[in-house]
Amino acid sequence: MARTPIIAGNWKMNNTIKEGVELVKALAPLVKDATVDVVVCPTATALSSVCEAVKGTNIHVGAQNVHWEAKGAFTGEISTGMLNEIGVDYVVLGHSERRDYFGETDEGVNKRARAAFAAGITPIICCGESLEIREAGTYIDHVVAQINAALEGFEASEVAKLVIAYEPIWAIGTGKTATFEQAEEVCKAIREAVAKKFDQTAADAIRIQYGGSVKPATIKDLMQQPNVDGALVGGASLKAEDFSAIVNF
């Protein structure tokens, strides 16, 4: 099955509204002929303006989080309806920074993912291991457990439409990058876990990104790995030249 690659830029807590709009305006002509799905994930305050700025382009917009409830007393959270209203297509869920700094749990990621999917927003579900888990040799079990928990309650036909982002925590913003073989090993294990939990059709269709200090210099070799279908890009997504070079690998 031919899977369309997906390259997403996670801006994290960077870029004001003005900076975000300027970035996508600079990016749009550079990626207009891209053969991959292009996504930018701004801060919450910039989401609406960036959605407006990318109209008429091939750039999609993703949020960095969403709550599972439609409304209520959840200070600081954003609902799927709020994202639908401004035209958000994707949402990053379960990023290691959300898990480490803000106490996100596998159960919470699952609830957010199911709510997003039900609202027509494609979840980009993050998973990954710390350096300690990597060195202990239990990283495959750890990542597979995260994926099994995140996908609980989904149907196979739904899972086929999701995106998973494998990000070894030890390679995020550190300058360290997993070798192409290490990235492929875990992405392959994720696909096998999806096949085991659902079916081979879902496993063949689901797109799996690699994230962790992705750069223009590394993207081409990374994308040659059979189970890597794209990248979740951090720092390099903050510059139109760098991000477009990754998109146009």
Side-chain angles (χ1 to χ4, degrees), residues 82-245:
M82 295 168 186
L83 297 183
N84 282 146
E85 186 179 30
I86 57 176
V88 167
D89 293 324
Y90 294 86
V91 59
V92 177
L93 296 171
H95 192 281
S96 61
E97 290 159 3
R98 295 299 313 171
R99 294 175 189 262
D100 290 352
Y101 305 151
F102 306 106
E104 292 265 345
T105 64
D106 287 338
E107 181 189 10
V109 171
N110 173 251
K111 289 164 75 173
R112 293 173 196 271
R114 289 169 66 180
F117 187 85
I121 301 166
T122 301
I124 298 175
I125 299 170
C126 298
C127 59
E129 82 281 2
S130 65
L131 184 59
E132 184 181 24
I133 292 170
R134 163 64 61 166
E135 290 179 341
T138 56
Y139 54 95
I140 296 290
D141 290 343
H142 176 81
V143 169
V144 167
Q146 286 182 319
I147 292 306
N148 283 336
L151 300 182
E152 195 62 40
F154 278 97
E155 300 292 330
S157 59
E158 298 171 332
V159 170
K161 300 171 186 175
L162 304 179
V163 179
I164 291 174
Y166 165 58
E167 294 196 305
I169 299 167
W170 47 272
I172 301 175
T174 62
K176 292 181 180 179
T177 309
T179 66
F180 305 122
E181 293 78 15
Q182 286 172 325
E184 168 63 15
E185 178 194 20
V186 181
C187 290
K188 182 173 183 281
I190 291 168
R191 201 174 302 284
E192 289 171 348
V194 172
K196 185 177 179 181
K197 188 174 177 69
F198 298 95
D199 58 34
Q200 193 60 49
T201 301
D204 288 342
I206 195 168
R207 294 186 289 178
I208 304 173
Q209 298 175 311
Y210 170 78
S213 299
V214 176
K215 298 178 176 66
T218 59
I219 186 66
K220 191 169 184 179
D221 287 333
L222 182 67
M223 291 304 296
Q224 289 176 351
Q225 305 307 310
N227 286 289
V228 177
D229 306 312
L232 183 58
V233 185
S237 71
L238 300 176
K239 295 180 180 177
E241 273 188 21
D242 287 350
F243 190 54
S244 64

Side-chain angles (χ1 to χ4, degrees), residues 39-59:
V39 185
V40 295
C41 302
T43 59
T45 56
L47 276 172
S48 181
S49 297
V50 170
C51 281
E52 193 64 33
V54 301
K55 283 184 177 175
T57 76
N58 61 329
I59 300 172

